[in-house]
Amino acid sequence: MKVLVINCGSSSLKYQLIDSRSEEVLAAGLCERIGIDGRMTHTPSSGNTVVKNDPLPDHGAAIQAVLSALTDKAHGVISSLGEIGAVGHRLVHGGEKFAASVIINDEVIAEVEACNDLAPLHNPANLIGVRACRQIMPDVPMVGVFDTAFHQTMPPKAYLYGIPHQYYQEHKVRRYGFHGTSHNYVAKRVHHLAELDPDNSRVIVCHLGNGASVTAVKNGKSVDTSMGLTPLEGLIMGTRSGDLDPGVIEYIAKKEHLTLEEVLKVLNKESGVLGLSGVSSDFRDLTEAMEQGNEQAAVAVEAFCYRVAKHIGAYTAALNGVDAIVFTAGIGENAAHIRSMICDYLGFLGITIDEEKNAVRGKEAEISTPDSKVSVFVIPTNEELAIARETAALLGE
Ligand code: ADP
């Protein structure tokens, strides 16, 4: 079955057409600046990237542009839309309603909409993509794959905040966690690569991208993760602060004469390694700045690595030991020196890294030495493939 995977944001839409049997990516692309002017890049598997600057006034127009590109005579990859067997949508927040992927119907849309308050930036944008696809392809089955679903196995002791219980009961204020599709995919891969028994395994997955989170996976299930009600909790990230004393919010608001919304914008968009370094949110820029002697960049990177290592330590306690640790996403897959700096804290676990093996970028590899007490891996994540697999599986393919 050919599955169109859609990841729809407020002004952008990423897509891949994947053959779920061969798992080949037939085409991939990105529509940007939707509602502003419009820009599209489309890359067929056996051809060069095509760039189009046609107007994209809304998400419906973006979906139409994707479908035209996929069926285009010159750079298309299918002869007609009838070849698309299903659409898999990335949906960010499923609240407590969705512990697994789901076939999308009117009721599901209403239930996802009910979670909009929990992810006001993401869920409405995701749903715009769902509605646009349903309008244009009413007969094609659609599946929703949630970022939060994998973490629904967390026990109450991990997901509850230490606040009055009524806030959980009345408003569902709790920790949800994100990047679930990635953590699940990578944990399954490490079971296979490290020859672990999935039903008797303790894995810690470090998804380190611009957004970053660590998950403790016991017997294939998430038992704790570093993001919370929103993706702001946990690690220091590209532009997000991660954990801080909530008292900081009021203090900054008063000192800087900012509203609550303005402080949260600072914590989401202007903090993390960007805010700490004053240089960039991108670890390539930070590394370059460090090499040129920029101390703020160096301290930002150190703080990032320290936080990751602290989470690994905490999750080793949560799991009562650990069999494998995995690095994934942009930083985890590419930045050997960051992996090395994090693993430097983990000597107490008997972990040793082989720096030659650690020189790997963007492919699966074990980077620990044969006598390391815990295996350490680099595993590139593939959320699109995971969504295509879920979609095909739910539709009985
Ligand atoms: P997201 O999906 O959260 O936007 P990614 O997983 O694509 O993020 O990761 C993007 C980040 O990965 C970049 O901001 C950059 O910090 C980091 N990154 C990508 N490539 C490299 C590299 N070669 N060396 C160091 N860091 C890298």
Side-chain angles (χ1 to χ4, degrees), residues 90-143:
R90 177 193 179 212
L91 302 177
V92 168
H93 216 307
E96 288 188 327
K97 274 262 156 50
F98 299 101
S101 304
V102 65
I103 297 177
I104 296 176
N105 56 28
D106 290 339
E107 200 186 332
V108 166
I109 291 181
E111 282 174 344
V112 175
E113 219 156 32
C115 301
N116 278 4
D117 275 356
L118 292 168
L121 294 179
H122 292 102
N123 269 21
N126 298 160
L127 285 175
I128 289 173
V130 171
R131 289 203 172 95
C133 283
R134 286 183 104 206
Q135 202 168 19
I136 297 165
M137 297 178 273
D139 299 325
V140 178
M142 313 226 169
V143 166

Coordinates of all heavy atoms in Angstrom, one line a residue, residues 90-143:
R90 N 0.5 12.9 11.3 CA 1.1 13.1 12.6 C 0.2 14.0 13.4 O -0.1 15.1 13.0 CB 2.5 13.7 12.5 CG 3.1 13.9 13.8 CD 4.3 14.8 13.7 NE 4.8 15.1 15.1 CZ 5.5 16.2 15.4 NH1 5.7 17.1 14.6 NH2 5.9 16.3 16.6
L91 N -0.2 13.5 14.6 CA -1.0 14.4 15.5 C -0.3 14.6 16.8 O 0.3 13.6 17.3 CB -2.4 13.8 15.7 CG -3.2 13.5 14.5 CD1 -4.5 12.8 14.9 CD2 -3.5 14.7 13.7
V92 N -0.2 15.8 17.3 CA 0.7 16.0 18.4 C 0.1 15.5 19.7 O 0.7 14.7 20.4 CB 1.1 17.5 18.5 CG1 1.8 17.8 19.8 CG2 2.1 17.8 17.4
H93 N -1.1 16.0 20.1 CA -1.6 15.7 21.4 C -2.9 14.9 21.4 O -3.9 15.4 20.9 CB -1.8 17.1 22.2 CG -1.5 17.0 23.6 ND1 -2.0 16.0 24.4 CD2 -0.7 17.7 24.4 CE1 -1.5 16.2 25.7 NE2 -0.7 17.2 25.7
G94 N -2.8 13.8 22.0 CA -4.1 12.9 22.1 C -4.6 12.9 23.5 O -5.5 12.1 23.8
G95 N -4.0 13.7 24.4 CA -4.4 13.7 25.8 C -4.4 12.3 26.4 O -3.6 11.5 26.0
E96 N -5.4 12.0 27.2 CA -5.5 10.6 27.8 C -6.5 9.8 26.9 O -6.6 8.6 27.2 CB -6.1 10.7 29.2 CG -5.1 11.2 30.2 CD -5.5 11.1 31.6 OE1 -6.7 11.3 31.9 OE2 -4.7 10.9 32.5
K97 N -7.0 10.4 25.9 CA -8.0 9.7 25.1 C -7.3 8.6 24.2 O -7.9 7.6 23.9 CB -8.7 10.7 24.1 CG -9.9 11.3 24.8 CD -11.2 10.6 24.4 CE -12.4 10.7 25.3 NZ -12.7 12.0 25.7
F98 N -6.1 9.0 23.7 CA -5.5 8.1 22.7 C -4.2 7.5 23.2 O -3.2 8.2 23.3 CB -5.3 8.9 21.4 CG -6.6 9.4 20.8 CD1 -6.9 10.8 21.0 CD2 -7.4 8.6 20.1 CE1 -8.1 11.2 20.5 CE2 -8.6 9.1 19.6 CZ -9.0 10.4 19.7
A99 N -4.2 6.2 23.4 CA -3.0 5.5 23.8 C -2.4 4.7 22.7 O -1.5 4.0 22.8 CB -3.4 4.5 25.0
A100 N -3.1 4.9 21.5 CA -2.6 4.2 20.3 C -3.1 5.0 19.1 O -3.9 5.9 19.2 CB -3.1 2.8 20.3
S101 N -2.5 4.6 17.9 CA -3.0 5.2 16.7 C -4.4 4.9 16.4 O -4.9 3.9 16.9 CB -2.1 4.8 15.5 OG -0.8 5.0 15.8
V102 N -5.1 5.7 15.5 CA -6.5 5.5 15.4 C -6.9 5.8 13.9 O -6.3 6.7 13.3 CB -7.3 6.4 16.4 CG1 -7.0 7.9 16.1 CG2 -8.7 6.1 16.5
I103 N -8.0 5.1 13.4 CA -8.5 5.5 12.1 C -9.4 6.7 12.3 O -10.2 6.8 13.2 CB -9.4 4.3 11.6 CG1 -8.4 3.1 11.3 CG2 -10.1 4.7 10.3 CD1 -9.1 1.8 10.8
I104 N -9.1 7.7 11.5 CA -9.8 9.0 11.7 C -11.2 9.0 11.2 O -11.4 8.6 10.0 CB -9.0 10.1 11.0 CG1 -7.6 10.2 11.7 CG2 -9.7 11.5 11.1 CD1 -6.6 11.2 11.1
N105 N -12.1 9.4 12.0 CA -13.5 9.7 11.6 C -14.0 10.9 12.3 O -13.2 11.6 13.0 CB -14.4 8.4 11.9 CG -14.4 8.1 13.4 OD1 -14.1 9.0 14.2 ND2 -14.6 6.8 13.7
D106 N -15.3 11.3 12.1 CA -15.8 12.5 12.7 C -15.6 12.6 14.2 O -15.3 13.6 14.8 CB -17.3 12.7 12.4 CG -17.4 13.0 10.9 OD1 -16.5 13.5 10.2 OD2 -18.5 12.8 10.4
E107 N -15.9 11.4 14.8 CA -15.8 11.3 16.3 C -14.4 11.6 16.8 O -14.1 12.3 17.8 CB -16.3 9.9 16.7 CG -16.7 9.8 18.1 CD -17.0 8.4 18.5 OE1 -17.4 7.6 17.6 OE2 -16.8 8.0 19.7
V108 N -13.4 11.0 16.1 CA -12.0 11.1 16.4 C -11.6 12.6 16.3 O -10.9 13.1 17.2 CB -11.1 10.2 15.6 CG1 -9.6 10.6 15.7 CG2 -11.3 8.7 16.0
I109 N -12.0 13.2 15.2 CA -11.7 14.6 15.0 C -12.2 15.5 16.2 O -11.5 16.3 16.7 CB -12.2 15.1 13.7 CG1 -11.5 14.4 12.5 CG2 -12.1 16.7 13.5 CD1 -11.9 14.9 11.1
A110 N -13.4 15.2 16.6 CA -14.0 15.9 17.7 C -13.2 15.7 19.0 O -13.0 16.6 19.8 CB -15.5 15.5 17.9
E111 N -12.8 14.4 19.2 CA -12.0 14.1 20.4 C -10.6 14.8 20.4 O -10.1 15.2 21.4 CB -11.9 12.6 20.6 CG -13.2 12.0 21.1 CD -13.1 10.5 21.2 OE1 -12.3 9.9 20.5 OE2 -14.0 9.9 21.9
V112 N -10.0 14.8 19.2 CA -8.7 15.5 19.1 C -8.9 17.0 19.3 O -8.1 17.7 20.0 CB -8.0 15.3 17.7 CG1 -6.7 16.1 17.6 CG2 -7.8 13.8 17.5
E113 N -10.0 17.5 18.8 CA -10.3 18.9 19.0 C -10.4 19.3 20.5 O -10.0 20.3 20.9 CB -11.6 19.3 18.3 CG -11.5 20.6 17.6 CD -12.6 20.7 16.5 OE1 -13.6 20.1 16.5 OE2 -12.3 21.4 15.5
A114 N -11.0 18.3 21.2 CA -11.2 18.5 22.7 C -9.8 18.6 23.4 O -9.8 19.1 24.5 CB -12.0 17.4 23.3
C115 N -8.8 18.1 22.7 CA -7.4 18.2 23.3 C -6.7 19.5 22.9 O -5.5 19.7 23.3 CB -6.5 17.1 22.9 SG -7.2 15.4 23.4
N116 N -7.3 20.4 22.1 CA -6.7 21.5 21.5 C -6.1 22.4 22.6 O -5.0 23.0 22.4 CB -7.6 22.3 20.7 CG -7.7 21.8 19.3 OD1 -7.1 20.7 19.0 ND2 -8.4 22.4 18.4
D117 N -6.8 22.6 23.7 CA -6.2 23.4 24.8 C -4.9 23.0 25.3 O -4.1 23.8 25.8 CB -7.2 23.4 26.0 CG -8.3 24.4 25.9 OD1 -8.3 25.2 24.9 OD2 -9.2 24.4 26.8
L118 N -4.6 21.7 25.2 CA -3.4 21.1 25.7 C -2.2 21.4 24.7 O -1.1 21.3 25.1 CB -3.5 19.6 25.9 CG -4.4 19.2 27.0 CD1 -4.7 17.7 27.0 CD2 -3.8 19.5 28.4
A119 N -2.5 21.6 23.4 CA -1.5 21.9 22.4 C -2.0 22.9 21.4 O -2.3 22.6 20.3 CB -1.1 20.6 21.7
P120 N -2.2 24.2 21.9 CA -2.9 25.2 21.1 C -2.2 25.6 19.8 O -2.8 26.0 18.9 CB -3.0 26.4 22.1 CG -2.1 26.1 23.2 CD -1.9 24.7 23.3
L121 N -0.9 25.3 19.8 CA -0.1 25.7 18.6 C -0.2 24.5 17.6 O -0.2 24.8 16.4 CB 1.3 26.0 18.9 CG 1.6 27.2 19.7 CD1 3.1 27.4 20.0 CD2 1.0 28.5 19.0
H122 N -0.2 23.3 18.1 CA 0.0 22.2 17.2 C -1.3 21.5 16.7 O -1.5 21.3 15.5 CB 0.9 21.1 17.9 CG 2.3 21.6 18.0 ND1 2.8 22.0 19.2 CD2 3.3 21.7 17.2 CE1 4.1 22.4 19.1 NE2 4.4 22.2 17.8
N123 N -2.2 21.1 17.7 CA -3.3 20.3 17.3 C -4.2 21.0 16.3 O -4.6 20.4 15.3 CB -4.2 20.0 18.5 CG -3.7 18.7 19.2 OD1 -2.6 18.2 18.9 ND2 -4.6 18.0 19.9
P124 N -4.5 22.3 16.4 CA -5.4 22.9 15.4 C -4.7 22.9 14.0 O -5.4 22.6 13.0 CB -5.5 24.4 15.9 CG -5.3 24.3 17.3 CD -4.3 23.2 17.5
A125 N -3.4 23.0 14.0 CA -2.7 23.0 12.7 C -2.8 21.6 12.1 O -3.0 21.4 10.9 CB -1.3 23.4 12.8
N126 N -2.6 20.6 13.0 CA -2.6 19.2 12.5 C -4.0 18.9 11.9 O -4.2 18.2 10.9 CB -2.4 18.2 13.7 CG -1.1 18.3 14.3 OD1 -0.9 17.8 15.4 ND2 -0.1 18.8 13.6
L127 N -5.1 19.4 12.6 CA -6.4 19.1 12.2 C -6.8 19.8 10.9 O -7.6 19.3 10.1 CB -7.4 19.5 13.3 CG -7.5 18.5 14.4 CD1 -8.4 19.0 15.5 CD2 -7.9 17.1 14.0
I128 N -6.2 21.0 10.6 CA -6.4 21.7 9.4 C -5.9 20.7 8.2 O -6.6 20.6 7.2 CB -5.6 23.0 9.3 CG1 -6.3 24.0 10.2 CG2 -5.6 23.6 7.9 CD1 -5.5 25.3 10.4
G129 N -4.8 20.1 8.4 CA -4.3 19.1 7.4 C -5.2 18.0 7.2 O -5.5 17.5 6.1
V130 N -5.7 17.4 8.4 CA -6.7 16.3 8.3 C -7.9 16.7 7.5 O -8.3 16.0 6.5 CB -7.1 15.8 9.7 CG1 -8.2 14.8 9.6 CG2 -5.9 15.3 10.5
R131 N -8.5 17.8 7.8 CA -9.7 18.3 7.1 C -9.5 18.5 5.6 O -10.3 18.1 4.8 CB -10.3 19.5 7.8 CG -10.8 19.3 9.2 CD -11.8 20.3 9.6 NE -12.5 20.0 10.8 CZ -12.1 20.4 12.0 NH1 -11.1 21.2 12.1 NH2 -12.7 20.0 13.1
A132 N -8.3 19.2 5.3 CA -8.1 19.5 3.9 C -7.9 18.1 3.2 O -8.5 18.0 2.0 CB -6.8 20.3 3.8
C133 N -7.2 17.2 3.7 CA -7.1 15.9 3.0 C -8.4 15.2 2.9 O -8.7 14.6 1.8 CB -6.2 14.9 3.8 SG -4.4 15.3 3.6
R134 N -9.3 15.2 3.9 CA -10.6 14.5 3.8 C -11.5 15.1 2.8 O -12.2 14.5 2.1 CB -11.3 14.6 5.2 CG -10.7 13.7 6.2 CD -11.5 13.8 7.5 NE -12.4 12.7 7.7 CZ -13.5 12.7 8.4 NH1 -14.0 13.8 8.9 NH2 -14.2 11.6 8.5
Q135 N -11.3 16.5 2.6 CA -12.1 17.2 1.6 C -11.7 16.8 0.2 O -12.5 16.5 -0.7 CB -12.0 18.7 1.8 CG -13.1 19.4 1.2 CD -13.1 20.9 1.7 OE1 -12.1 21.4 2.2 NE2 -14.2 21.5 1.6
I136 N -10.4 16.7 0.0 CA -9.9 16.4 -1.3 C -9.9 15.0 -1.7 O -10.1 14.6 -2.8 CB -8.4 17.0 -1.5 CG1 -8.5 18.6 -1.3 CG2 -7.8 16.7 -2.8 CD1 -7.2 19.2 -1.0
M137 N -9.7 14.1 -0.6 CA -9.7 12.6 -0.9 C -10.7 12.0 0.1 O -10.3 11.2 1.0 CB -8.3 12.1 -0.5 CG -7.2 12.7 -1.4 SD -5.5 12.0 -1.0 CE -5.1 13.2 0.3
P138 N -12.0 12.2 -0.1 CA -13.0 11.7 0.8 C -13.0 10.2 1.0 O -13.4 9.7 2.0 CB -14.3 12.3 0.3 CG -14.0 12.6 -1.1 CD -12.6 12.9 -1.3
D139 N -12.6 9.5 0.0 CA -12.7 8.0 0.1 C -11.4 7.3 0.5 O -11.4 6.1 0.6 CB -13.1 7.5 -1.3 CG -14.4 8.0 -1.7 OD1 -15.3 8.2 -0.8 OD2 -14.6 8.3 -2.9
V140 N -10.4 8.1 0.8 CA -9.1 7.5 1.2 C -9.1 7.4 2.8 O -9.3 8.4 3.4 CB -7.9 8.3 0.7 CG1 -6.6 7.7 1.2 CG2 -8.0 8.4 -0.8
P141 N -8.8 6.2 3.3 CA -8.8 6.1 4.8 C -7.6 6.8 5.4 O -6.6 6.9 4.8 CB -8.7 4.6 5.0 CG -8.2 4.0 3.7 CD -8.6 4.9 2.6
M142 N -7.9 7.4 6.5 CA -6.8 8.2 7.2 C -6.6 7.7 8.6 O -7.5 7.3 9.3 CB -7.2 9.7 7.3 CG -7.8 10.2 6.0 SD -7.1 11.8 5.5 CE -7.8 11.8 3.8
V143 N -5.3 7.8 9.0 CA -5.0 7.3 10.4 C -4.2 8.4 11.1 O -3.5 9.2 10.5 CB -4.1 6.0 10.3 CG1 -3.4 5.7 11.6 CG2 -4.9 4.8 9.8

